[in-house]
């Protein structure tokens, strides 16, 4: 129950959709005076059960040392690959973790991870000895788009939202289980996160747990997402009326 946890942060991408100024990858975009990656790592360090955060970056990354300078329990390695799955697998190999070690994988673009949501995931996975992920049940009506017309996409059908969840991170698994799943599913386009690899490779009785996440943990992908997070920071910094 008290096994140490290692957190992995894949941060080798360029984040082209975010439109980051100056050509820097989006994980280094400034948010309230700090690079987003630094905020993300600090959110993980808030839980003392995480003994180390390992950030996987692209070879020759010129920004990571400055972005993470002075953070405790944090290292980075230039082992990033062309895909998320390859980066995570390389980070696992670089860490040299035993099969039974618990590993958390967290998106660099989720700097708002609340400590209580992180704690819920760790507690749930450890108590049930099963991997899992933070996620949110779908609240909105879900539409599937059909063929695009001259005036834009059109609805093909409405999908039932019952039982649908939006995956977040961290995603937490035993290192051996995650390594084996990523190896078994190498190159499979259906693998978009760690949980999907485990789902495809493992027996049904090892299906990942869904642990309720938080809206504050939304992924920052588009330019307007960064505006939302900056507004949220501004509200938190504003003095409260007496």
């Amino acid at each position: 129950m008290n096994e140490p946890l290692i957190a992995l942060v894949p941060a080798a991408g360029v984040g082209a959709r975010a439109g980051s100024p100056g050509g820097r990858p989006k994980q280094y975009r400034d948010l309230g005076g700090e690079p987003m990656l630094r905020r993300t790592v600090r959110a993980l360090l808030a839980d003392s059960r995480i003994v180390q955060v390992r950030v996987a970056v692209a070879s020759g990354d010129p920004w990571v040392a400055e972005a993470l300078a002075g953070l405790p329990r944090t290292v980075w390695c230039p082992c990033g690959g062309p895909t998320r799955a390859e980066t995570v697998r390389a980070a696992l190999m670089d860490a040299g973790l035993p099969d039974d070690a618990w590993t958390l994988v967290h998106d660099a673009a989720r700097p708002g991870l609340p400590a209580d949501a992180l704690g819920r995931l760790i507690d749930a996975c450890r108590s049930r000895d099963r991997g899992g992920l933070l996620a949110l049940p779908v609240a909105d009506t879900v539409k599937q788009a059909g063929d695009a017309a001259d005036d834009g996409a059109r609805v093909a059908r409405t999908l039932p939202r019952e039982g649908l969840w939006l995956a977040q991170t961290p995603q937490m698994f035993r290192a051996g289980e995650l390594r084996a799943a990523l190896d078994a599913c190498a190159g499979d386009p259906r693998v978009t996160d760690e949980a999907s690899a485990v789902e495809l490779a493992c027996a049904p009785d090892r299906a990942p747990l869904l642990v309720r996440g938080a809206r504050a943990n939304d992924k920052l992908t588009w330019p307007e997402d960064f505006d939302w997070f900056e507004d949220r920071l501004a509200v938190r910094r504003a003095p409260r009326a007496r």
Side-chain angles (χ1 to χ4, degrees):
M1 292 298 292
N2 294 315
E3 306 109 316
L5 280 158
I6 302 294
L8 305 179
V9 181
V14 297
R17 290 175 293 180
S20 298
R24 290 191 174 196
K26 73 173 181 179
Q27 58 266 33
Y28 299 113
R29 181 163 174 166
D30 183 272
L31 288 175
E34 287 186 292
M36 177 168 68
L37 180 60
R38 187 179 184 88
R39 288 187 174 275
T40 298
V41 171
R42 285 202 293 107
L44 293 167
L45 293 172
D47 196 305
S48 61
R49 293 173 291 182
I50 296 177
V51 300
Q52 189 179 65
V53 179
R54 302 181 65 88
V55 181
V57 299
S59 177
D61 184 308
W63 302 289
V64 64
E66 180 181 357
L68 301 181
L71 290 179
R73 308 183 341 253
T74 302
V75 298
W76 55 90
C77 54
C79 62
T83 67
R84 176 197 177 95
E86 290 174 271
T87 296
V88 172
R89 185 183 182 281
L92 283 168
M93 298 298 292
D94 184 80
L97 301 174
D99 285 351
D100 62 351
W102 281 111
T103 306
L104 283 160
V105 183
H106 187 47
D107 292 332
R110 295 186 189 271
L113 172 64
D116 58 346
L118 175 58
R120 280 197 299 275
L121 177 66
I122 294 171
D123 292 341
C125 292
R126 279 182 161 176
S127 65
R128 298 178 64 176
D129 191 24
R130 182 183 296 198
L133 66 151
L134 291 182
L136 286 175
V138 171
D140 297 322
T141 298
V142 180
K143 303 291 184 181
Q144 182 176 24
D147 294 334
D150 291 340
D151 55 350
R154 297 180 180 178
V155 173
R157 60 178 177 142
T158 298
L159 302 177
R161 66 187 176 208
E162 288 74 24
L164 294 181
W165 291 63
L166 298 174
Q168 295 186 332
T169 67
Q171 302 191 0
M172 180 172 165
F173 298 96
R174 298 279 189 182
E177 180 180 47
L178 181 54
R179 267 194 303 259
L182 291 172
D183 286 346
C185 299
D188 192 325
R190 293 174 294 174
V191 176
T192 55
D193 63 359
E194 294 68 50
S196 57
V198 173
E199 292 162 38
L200 291 167
C202 295
D205 64 353
R206 297 299 298 171
L209 301 171
L210 288 167
V211 180
R212 192 176 185 98
R215 292 196 180 278
N217 191 35
D218 281 351
K219 189 175 183 180
L220 307 189
T221 301
W222 307 102
E224 57 267 28
D225 298 335
F226 289 84
D227 295 337
W228 164 79
F229 195 84
E230 291 277 12
D231 290 344
R232 181 171 172 267
L233 287 176
V235 169
R236 293 173 65 185
R237 288 194 298 261
R240 295 182 179 180
R242 295 183 181 275

